[in-house]
Amino acid sequence: MIESIGLFFFLCGMAWCWESRRRKTFSVRPGLHEEIDLPFDQDFELYHNDFSLCSKKVRVCLAELNVDHGSHHIDLIETRSYENLSREFLNVNPAGTVPVLVHRGHPIYESHEQIRYAADHCGEEAPRLVPENSDTVEEMNLWVERASLTGDDPIAAMATSAGNCIPGLTLPLFSAMVEKIPVHRILTGLLFHRLRVRPIIFLAMKIVGIRRLRHLKPAVGVIRNSVRYMKVHLDALELKLEENGGVWILGDMFSLADVSWVVIFDRMREADCADVFLGGDLRPRVTAYRDRLFARASYAKGIWNHEHPAVRRGTERLQEAKRIDPQLRALLAG
Ligand SMILES: N[C@@H](CCC(=O)N[C@@H](CS)C(=O)NCC(=O)O)C(=O)O
């Protein structure tokens, strides 16, 4: 009996080693990789996920630039399964993350690099999303960075960007969404993810569930800090909009900075926490700015048209849990 169990674990170990060698995963340098050649049908091809914050940013950008492109939807565990860890996708991005923008077969990694690249290579006729003046470009870059999701551990860098506050603000929504995901799919992440802490967090969310989330101390701490830092970033944005007196971050010119912020507001909508930060007397300039962003055609094309049923169900489940448990609602209010 003991020998059979030993043999079973030995064979599992062998199978894991064999498969891991075919799913090689490692971090990649941001930017264009001319040395990599991937198959392509159109000049621009986008590997993305409906729910992913960074994918939304690139879709909005391509919509603003009127760039026709090929589309490859890649599932993440939140929407169904770890397709981002499949052999095929790791061939496109060994880091196992979306989005990946591919230009004539060459991948560009990191969404803030992708939007800059697209704005620079989309042809003369496209609307300009980058100013001429170098000081203004620098200012734009600061606001792009302040909305970016950066590094392998964004939660450790919430003070540097509103984008890094997003995973924490999304924890309750993740927890509601993961209720529908079978455990064995999360196990794929435990076996093959480059950043094992990510599937571990999903497994913890799955075990604890949305109803008991407020009893999970580390999660509570992360949510509270995310709310606190997000308020700091939004206050800075309120001040910026007041100073420049314009409708967009750079004043009258719509730029990559605005493309980067629209997704932050959209995630607040999905995670049912927009009213913690905006509306009523709260940050009136940012509230009006958010509404202007949502009214643009690029929001409909890049975000609304990609609404995913798993996200809709997750938001509804979260709203229901908050209705039943006022303490959960209070936690999410910061
Ligand atoms: N800094 C990267 C972030 C990439 C990233 O972490 N993407 C997330 C979705 S927004 C992802 O692919 N997560 C899948 C996973 O880690 O399993 C970028 O801006 O492109």
Side-chain angles (χ1 to χ4, degrees):
M1 177 69 177
I2 291 180
E3 276 131 34
S4 309
I5 294 173
L7 181 66
F8 172 76
F9 281 111
F10 174 75
L11 290 176
C12 286
M14 292 287 286
W16 176 76
C17 285
W18 192 80
E19 188 57 27
S20 296
R21 286 169 62 166
R22 274 145 199 87
R23 299 198 202 198
K24 282 217 170 64
T25 174
F26 47 88
S27 63
V28 289
R29 172 181 55 76
L32 175 70
H33 284 246
E34 277 180 309
E35 76 287 3
I36 302 180
D37 282 298
L38 297 168
F40 65 99
D41 292 323
Q42 299 197 44
D43 270 7
F44 280 103
E45 307 246 343
L46 183 65
Y47 291 79
H48 63 111
N49 173 273
D50 288 341
F51 174 58
S52 130
L53 185 88
C54 307
S55 301
K56 288 178 183 184
K57 178 166 56 176
V58 181
R59 290 199 303 263
V60 167
C61 182
L62 296 176
E64 286 287 346
L65 295 168
N66 297 319
V67 171
D68 253 353
H69 60 87
S71 165
H72 308 261
H73 188 266
I74 303 296
D75 263 312
L76 304 180
I77 192 64
E78 297 93 309
T79 50
R80 203 181 111 84
S81 65
Y82 275 116
E83 190 182 359
N84 56 316
L85 304 181
S86 64
R87 292 182 198 176
E88 294 74 17
F89 183 68
L90 289 174
N91 206 24
V92 174
N93 182 6
T97 57
V98 287
V100 178
L101 183 65
V102 176
H103 188 219
R104 299 186 183 141
H106 306 308
I108 301 127
Y109 299 128
E110 291 289 319
S111 57
H112 50 279
E113 296 280 350
Q114 293 162 14
I115 59 175
R116 277 176 203 149
Y117 185 94
D120 289 344
H121 294 83
C122 58
E124 293 292 299
E125 268 103 78
R128 289 197 56 78
L129 297 182
V130 177
E132 304 273 338
N133 174 304
S134 62
D135 286 348
T136 324
V137 171
E138 212 170 291
E139 198 186 345
M140 178 192 81
N141 287 341
L142 285 178
W143 286 95
V144 168
E145 275 157 36
R146 202 160 184 171
S148 293
L149 182 65
T150 53
D152 286 345
D153 183 12
I155 284 170
M158 290 194 274
T160 61
S161 108
N164 290 342
C165 300
I166 288 297
L169 289 182
T170 313
L171 272 186
L173 178 61
F174 286 149
S175 171
M177 287 170 75
V178 89
E179 277 184 356
K180 295 272 176 215
I181 307 290
V183 171
H184 71 266
R185 293 208 193 133
I186 304 177
L187 291 183
T188 307
L190 293 177
L191 290 175
F192 301 113
H193 208 295
R194 185 177 64 91
L195 305 166
R196 293 242 153 67
V197 65
R198 294 189 181 187
I200 289 173
I201 291 172
F202 280 104
L203 192 60
M205 298 283 118
K206 172 88 187 164
I207 293 166
V208 171
I210 180 70
R211 280 181 305 139
R212 281 169 298 171
L213 183 67
R214 68 182 171 81
H215 300 295
L216 194 66
K217 276 205 178 125
V220 170
V222 168
I223 295 169
R224 291 223 165 101
N225 277 336
S226 311
V227 172
R228 187 157 62 90
Y229 282 115
M230 180 58 87
K231 285 180 179 170
V232 173
H233 296 300
L234 292 173
D235 284 342
L237 182 56
E238 180 78 10
L239 204 65
K240 175 75 193 157
L241 292 168
E242 184 179 354
E243 271 168 20
N244 71 21
V247 285
W248 308 116
I249 289 181
L250 297 183
D252 292 334
M253 181 184 183
F254 183 90
S255 73
L256 293 182
D258 306 299
V259 165
S260 304
W261 276 83
V262 62
V263 299
I264 304 275
F265 301 122
D266 187 64
R267 178 53 54 83
M268 289 179 184
R269 174 191 67 78
E270 288 172 330
D272 197 42
C273 63
D275 59 345
V276 173
F277 304 104
L278 304 174
D281 293 338
L282 289 173
R283 304 178 185 88
R285 286 180 186 79
V286 179
T287 304
Y289 169 66
R290 185 256 331 248
D291 294 346
R292 281 193 292 277
L293 289 170
F294 282 7
R296 289 180 80 87
S298 61
Y299 177 73
K301 194 165 176 198
I303 295 182
W304 203 243
N305 290 355
H306 290 261
E307 210 200 5
H308 196 286
V311 185
R312 197 171 43 244
R313 268 198 312 269
T315 306
E316 285 166 7
R317 176 75 189 95
L318 174 60
Q319 287 166 337
E320 183 201 331
K322 282 164 71 178
R323 255 195 314 275
I324 296 169
D325 182 358
Q327 280 176 293
L328 176 66
R329 193 169 50 237
L331 162 66
L332 304 177

